[in-house]
């Protein structure tokens, strides 16, 4: 029975490359000379810290620009609230979301059911398995899901006959 998986994943190497490029730009920018601003990558979080809120905002712009240049969908990027200490030091966490949350998975499966294509959908943890009797039905579902906007970036894997 033909099937494929709908997933939402971000390539961790691309995230690492984007953070390294942002660190290089931080080292060469004139407005950050002598400041203790830093960018730290920890698994699926990018932690930013700067001397004040203005520099933190510039850091966020640098990182978001580098992520966008590396073809990382900004739908999977979640910016936390900036945390400013009484002394003026500012921190912020940018989370990279991996996988499809249950609410979004339910939206996708209900959208597929609304199209009335003869396929079955299963939510399997953080991915959705779509299976049907014909490959044409699967391709119709693929085209419909690509055409619709969802709150996360979706990729399609494991197309099997």
């Amino acid at each position: 029975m033909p099937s494929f998986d709908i997933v939402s994943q971000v390539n961790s190497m691309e995230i690492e490359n984007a953070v390294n490029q942002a660190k290089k730009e931080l080292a060469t920018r004139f407005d950050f000379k002598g400041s203790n601003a830093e960018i730290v990558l920890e698994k699926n979080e990018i932690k930013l810290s700067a001397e004040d809120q203005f520099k933190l905002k510039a850091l966020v712009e640098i990182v978001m620009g580098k992520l966008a240049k590396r073809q990382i969908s900004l739908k999977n990027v979640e910016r936390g609230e900036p945390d400013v200490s009484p002394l003026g030091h500012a921190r912020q966490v940018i989370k990279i979301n991996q996988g499809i949350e249950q609410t979004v998975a339910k939206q996708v499966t209900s959208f597929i059911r609304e199209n009335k294509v003869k396929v079955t959908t299963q939510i399997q943890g953080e991915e959705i398995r779509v299976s049907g009797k014909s490959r044409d039905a699967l391709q119709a579902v693929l085209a419909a899901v690509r055409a619709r906007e969802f709150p996360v970036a979706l990729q399609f894997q494991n197309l099997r006959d």
Side-chain angles (χ1 to χ4, degrees), residues 16 21 33 38 54 56 65 79 81 93 113 115 122 129 134-135 140 153 158:
E16 198 173 312
Q21 287 179 346
K33 288 279 190 234
E38 69 175 346
F54 174 74
L56 182 70
R79 286 194 273 181
E81 288 295 317
V93 175
R113 269 190 243 113
N115 281 344
Q122 284 181 308
R129 166 82 36 97
S134 71
R135 193 171 187 161
N158 302 334

PDB file of all heavy atoms in Angstrom, residues 16 21 33 38 54 56 65 79 81 93 113 115 122 129 134-135 140 153 158:
ATOM      1  N   GLU A  16      23.554  25.183  12.875  1.00  0.00           N
ATOM      2  CA  GLU A  16      24.917  25.398  13.360  1.00  0.00           C
ATOM      3  C   GLU A  16      25.692  26.332  12.436  1.00  0.00           C
ATOM      4  O   GLU A  16      26.396  27.238  12.897  1.00  0.00           O
ATOM      5  CB  GLU A  16      25.632  24.042  13.462  1.00  0.00           C
ATOM      6  CG  GLU A  16      26.860  24.056  14.319  1.00  0.00           C
ATOM      7  CD  GLU A  16      27.418  22.657  14.518  1.00  0.00           C
ATOM      8  OE1 GLU A  16      26.646  21.739  14.836  1.00  0.00           O
ATOM      9  OE2 GLU A  16      28.642  22.501  14.340  1.00  0.00           O
ATOM     10  N   GLN A  21      27.987  31.713  11.281  1.00  0.00           N
ATOM     11  CA  GLN A  21      28.046  32.916  10.445  1.00  0.00           C
ATOM     12  C   GLN A  21      27.665  34.149  11.258  1.00  0.00           C
ATOM     13  O   GLN A  21      28.275  35.211  11.114  1.00  0.00           O
ATOM     14  CB  GLN A  21      27.117  32.778   9.247  1.00  0.00           C
ATOM     15  CG  GLN A  21      27.622  31.828   8.200  1.00  0.00           C
ATOM     16  CD  GLN A  21      26.652  31.695   7.034  1.00  0.00           C
ATOM     17  OE1 GLN A  21      25.506  32.097   7.108  1.00  0.00           O
ATOM     18  NE2 GLN A  21      27.141  31.119   5.944  1.00  0.00           N
ATOM     19  N   LYS A  33      32.060  46.225  18.915  1.00  0.00           N
ATOM     20  CA  LYS A  33      33.464  46.217  19.359  1.00  0.00           C
ATOM     21  C   LYS A  33      33.526  46.506  20.860  1.00  0.00           C
ATOM     22  O   LYS A  33      32.931  47.460  21.346  1.00  0.00           O
ATOM     23  CB  LYS A  33      34.276  47.285  18.614  1.00  0.00           C
ATOM     24  CG  LYS A  33      34.547  46.942  17.170  1.00  0.00           C
ATOM     25  CD  LYS A  33      35.710  45.996  17.062  1.00  0.00           C
ATOM     26  CE  LYS A  33      36.116  45.875  15.611  1.00  0.00           C
ATOM     27  NZ  LYS A  33      36.159  44.539  15.128  1.00  0.00           N
ATOM     28  N   GLU A  38      27.036  37.896  23.100  1.00  0.00           N
ATOM     29  CA  GLU A  38      27.389  36.555  22.655  1.00  0.00           C
ATOM     30  C   GLU A  38      26.176  35.796  22.144  1.00  0.00           C
ATOM     31  O   GLU A  38      25.040  36.086  22.497  1.00  0.00           O
ATOM     32  CB  GLU A  38      28.086  35.765  23.764  1.00  0.00           C
ATOM     33  CG  GLU A  38      27.225  35.379  24.919  1.00  0.00           C
ATOM     34  CD  GLU A  38      27.948  34.505  25.932  1.00  0.00           C
ATOM     35  OE1 GLU A  38      29.026  33.974  25.614  1.00  0.00           O
ATOM     36  OE2 GLU A  38      27.424  34.356  27.042  1.00  0.00           O
ATOM     37  N   PHE A  54      18.951  47.420  22.975  1.00  0.00           N
ATOM     38  CA  PHE A  54      19.216  47.831  21.594  1.00  0.00           C
ATOM     39  C   PHE A  54      20.159  46.846  20.903  1.00  0.00           C
ATOM     40  O   PHE A  54      19.923  46.420  19.779  1.00  0.00           O
ATOM     41  CB  PHE A  54      19.799  49.249  21.571  1.00  0.00           C
ATOM     42  CG  PHE A  54      20.220  49.688  20.210  1.00  0.00           C
ATOM     43  CD1 PHE A  54      19.271  50.031  19.250  1.00  0.00           C
ATOM     44  CD2 PHE A  54      21.560  49.746  19.858  1.00  0.00           C
ATOM     45  CE1 PHE A  54      19.651  50.440  17.984  1.00  0.00           C
ATOM     46  CE2 PHE A  54      21.946  50.147  18.607  1.00  0.00           C
ATOM     47  CZ  PHE A  54      20.991  50.491  17.661  1.00  0.00           C
ATOM     48  N   LEU A  56      20.710  43.773  21.833  1.00  0.00           N
ATOM     49  CA  LEU A  56      20.026  42.490  21.748  1.00  0.00           C
ATOM     50  C   LEU A  56      19.143  42.437  20.504  1.00  0.00           C
ATOM     51  O   LEU A  56      19.112  41.428  19.801  1.00  0.00           O
ATOM     52  CB  LEU A  56      19.183  42.245  23.002  1.00  0.00           C
ATOM     53  CG  LEU A  56      18.454  40.904  23.037  1.00  0.00           C
ATOM     54  CD1 LEU A  56      19.453  39.777  23.206  1.00  0.00           C
ATOM     55  CD2 LEU A  56      17.429  40.886  24.138  1.00  0.00           C
ATOM     56  N   GLY A  65      18.399  36.797  10.195  1.00  0.00           N
ATOM     57  CA  GLY A  65      18.846  36.951   8.808  1.00  0.00           C
ATOM     58  C   GLY A  65      19.687  35.773   8.350  1.00  0.00           C
ATOM     59  O   GLY A  65      19.529  35.273   7.230  1.00  0.00           O
ATOM     60  N   ARG A  79      10.693  32.977  18.785  1.00  0.00           N
ATOM     61  CA  ARG A  79      11.463  33.921  19.586  1.00  0.00           C
ATOM     62  C   ARG A  79      10.814  34.097  20.945  1.00  0.00           C
ATOM     63  O   ARG A  79       9.628  34.371  21.043  1.00  0.00           O
ATOM     64  CB  ARG A  79      11.516  35.288  18.908  1.00  0.00           C
ATOM     65  CG  ARG A  79      12.439  35.316  17.720  1.00  0.00           C
ATOM     66  CD  ARG A  79      12.716  36.708  17.309  1.00  0.00           C
ATOM     67  NE  ARG A  79      11.691  37.158  16.380  1.00  0.00           N
ATOM     68  CZ  ARG A  79      11.681  38.352  15.825  1.00  0.00           C
ATOM     69  NH1 ARG A  79      12.612  39.232  16.123  1.00  0.00           N
ATOM     70  NH2 ARG A  79      10.738  38.687  14.982  1.00  0.00           N
ATOM     71  N   GLU A  81      10.520  35.983  24.772  1.00  0.00           N
ATOM     72  CA  GLU A  81      10.485  37.384  25.197  1.00  0.00           C
ATOM     73  C   GLU A  81      11.879  37.796  25.678  1.00  0.00           C
ATOM     74  O   GLU A  81      12.552  37.025  26.362  1.00  0.00           O
ATOM     75  CB  GLU A  81       9.482  37.561  26.337  1.00  0.00           C
ATOM     76  CG  GLU A  81       8.043  37.455  25.896  1.00  0.00           C
ATOM     77  CD  GLU A  81       7.635  38.578  24.954  1.00  0.00           C
ATOM     78  OE1 GLU A  81       8.001  39.735  25.205  1.00  0.00           O
ATOM     79  OE2 GLU A  81       6.967  38.272  23.953  1.00  0.00           O
ATOM     80  N   VAL A  93      16.020  34.001  24.220  1.00  0.00           N
ATOM     81  CA  VAL A  93      16.174  32.633  23.728  1.00  0.00           C
ATOM     82  C   VAL A  93      15.354  32.488  22.458  1.00  0.00           C
ATOM     83  O   VAL A  93      14.193  32.902  22.405  1.00  0.00           O
ATOM     84  CB  VAL A  93      15.713  31.605  24.786  1.00  0.00           C
ATOM     85  CG1 VAL A  93      15.753  30.200  24.231  1.00  0.00           C
ATOM     86  CG2 VAL A  93      16.563  31.715  26.035  1.00  0.00           C
ATOM     87  N   ARG A 113      -8.784  15.161   5.240  1.00  0.00           N
ATOM     88  CA  ARG A 113     -10.111  14.542   5.201  1.00  0.00           C
ATOM     89  C   ARG A 113     -11.129  15.416   4.476  1.00  0.00           C
ATOM     90  O   ARG A 113     -12.004  14.909   3.785  1.00  0.00           O
ATOM     91  CB  ARG A 113     -10.605  14.245   6.622  1.00  0.00           C
ATOM     92  CG  ARG A 113     -10.215  12.860   7.069  1.00  0.00           C
ATOM     93  CD  ARG A 113     -10.901  12.479   8.370  1.00  0.00           C
ATOM     94  NE  ARG A 113      -9.832  12.297   9.358  1.00  0.00           N
ATOM     95  CZ  ARG A 113      -9.622  13.071  10.409  1.00  0.00           C
ATOM     96  NH1 ARG A 113     -10.407  14.072  10.674  1.00  0.00           N
ATOM     97  NH2 ARG A 113      -8.629  12.835  11.222  1.00  0.00           N
ATOM     98  N   ASN A 115     -10.652  17.219   1.938  1.00  0.00           N
ATOM     99  CA  ASN A 115     -10.454  17.119   0.487  1.00  0.00           C
ATOM    100  C   ASN A 115     -11.138  15.907  -0.114  1.00  0.00           C
ATOM    101  O   ASN A 115     -11.190  15.768  -1.332  1.00  0.00           O
ATOM    102  CB  ASN A 115      -8.964  17.093   0.148  1.00  0.00           C
ATOM    103  CG  ASN A 115      -8.359  18.470   0.201  1.00  0.00           C
ATOM    104  OD1 ASN A 115      -9.064  19.469   0.206  1.00  0.00           O
ATOM    105  ND2 ASN A 115      -7.043  18.528   0.249  1.00  0.00           N
ATOM    106  N   GLN A 122      -2.617   8.863   9.835  1.00  0.00           N
ATOM    107  CA  GLN A 122      -2.328   8.443  11.201  1.00  0.00           C
ATOM    108  C   GLN A 122      -1.337   9.426  11.791  1.00  0.00           C
ATOM    109  O   GLN A 122      -0.326   9.737  11.147  1.00  0.00           O
ATOM    110  CB  GLN A 122      -1.667   7.075  11.229  1.00  0.00           C
ATOM    111  CG  GLN A 122      -2.565   5.912  10.987  1.00  0.00           C
ATOM    112  CD  GLN A 122      -1.761   4.628  11.071  1.00  0.00           C
ATOM    113  OE1 GLN A 122      -0.739   4.493  10.422  1.00  0.00           O
ATOM    114  NE2 GLN A 122      -2.222   3.701  11.893  1.00  0.00           N
ATOM    115  N   ARG A 129       1.467   9.878   9.005  1.00  0.00           N
ATOM    116  CA  ARG A 129       1.592   8.897   7.941  1.00  0.00           C
ATOM    117  C   ARG A 129       0.325   8.959   7.106  1.00  0.00           C
ATOM    118  O   ARG A 129      -0.776   8.866   7.625  1.00  0.00           O
ATOM    119  CB  ARG A 129       1.784   7.508   8.546  1.00  0.00           C
ATOM    120  CG  ARG A 129       1.614   6.315   7.649  1.00  0.00           C
ATOM    121  CD  ARG A 129       2.802   5.925   6.793  1.00  0.00           C
ATOM    122  NE  ARG A 129       4.117   6.071   7.317  1.00  0.00           N
ATOM    123  CZ  ARG A 129       4.845   5.114   7.893  1.00  0.00           C
ATOM    124  NH1 ARG A 129       4.346   3.933   8.097  1.00  0.00           N
ATOM    125  NH2 ARG A 129       6.073   5.362   8.272  1.00  0.00           N
ATOM    126  N   SER A 134      -3.896   4.195  -4.169  1.00  0.00           N
ATOM    127  CA  SER A 134      -3.230   4.555  -5.423  1.00  0.00           C
ATOM    128  C   SER A 134      -2.226   5.677  -5.180  1.00  0.00           C
ATOM    129  O   SER A 134      -2.384   6.508  -4.284  1.00  0.00           O
ATOM    130  CB  SER A 134      -4.254   5.008  -6.465  1.00  0.00           C
ATOM    131  OG  SER A 134      -4.778   6.268  -6.115  1.00  0.00           O
ATOM    132  N   ARG A 135      -1.224   5.682  -6.006  1.00  0.00           N
ATOM    133  CA  ARG A 135      -0.201   6.721  -5.920  1.00  0.00           C
ATOM    134  C   ARG A 135      -0.779   8.081  -6.329  1.00  0.00           C
ATOM    135  O   ARG A 135      -0.357   9.115  -5.821  1.00  0.00           O
ATOM    136  CB  ARG A 135       0.958   6.334  -6.833  1.00  0.00           C
ATOM    137  CG  ARG A 135       2.177   7.148  -6.614  1.00  0.00           C
ATOM    138  CD  ARG A 135       3.345   6.600  -7.379  1.00  0.00           C
ATOM    139  NE  ARG A 135       4.521   7.343  -6.969  1.00  0.00           N
ATOM    140  CZ  ARG A 135       5.726   6.931  -7.142  1.00  0.00           C
ATOM    141  NH1 ARG A 135       5.952   5.775  -7.712  1.00  0.00           N
ATOM    142  NH2 ARG A 135       6.738   7.659  -6.751  1.00  0.00           N
ATOM    143  N   ALA A 140      -2.248  13.731  -5.048  1.00  0.00           N
ATOM    144  CA  ALA A 140      -3.273  14.768  -4.890  1.00  0.00           C
ATOM    145  C   ALA A 140      -3.206  15.372  -3.485  1.00  0.00           C
ATOM    146  O   ALA A 140      -3.302  16.589  -3.309  1.00  0.00           O
ATOM    147  CB  ALA A 140      -4.652  14.186  -5.165  1.00  0.00           C
ATOM    148  N   ALA A 153       6.525  24.640   8.937  1.00  0.00           N
ATOM    149  CA  ALA A 153       6.979  24.209   7.617  1.00  0.00           C
ATOM    150  C   ALA A 153       6.901  22.688   7.547  1.00  0.00           C
ATOM    151  O   ALA A 153       7.357  22.000   8.453  1.00  0.00           O
ATOM    152  CB  ALA A 153       8.406  24.676   7.370  1.00  0.00           C
ATOM    153  N   ASN A 158       9.771   9.509   2.771  1.00  0.00           N
ATOM    154  CA  ASN A 158       9.450   8.080   2.699  1.00  0.00           C
ATOM    155  C   ASN A 158       8.286   7.744   1.776  1.00  0.00           C
ATOM    156  O   ASN A 158       7.393   6.993   2.151  1.00  0.00           O
ATOM    157  CB  ASN A 158       9.156   7.503   4.096  1.00  0.00           C
ATOM    158  CG  ASN A 158      10.308   7.675   5.047  1.00  0.00           C
ATOM    159  OD1 ASN A 158      11.458   7.760   4.626  1.00  0.00           O
ATOM    160  ND2 ASN A 158      10.017   7.746   6.316  1.00  0.00           N
TER     161      ASN A 158
END
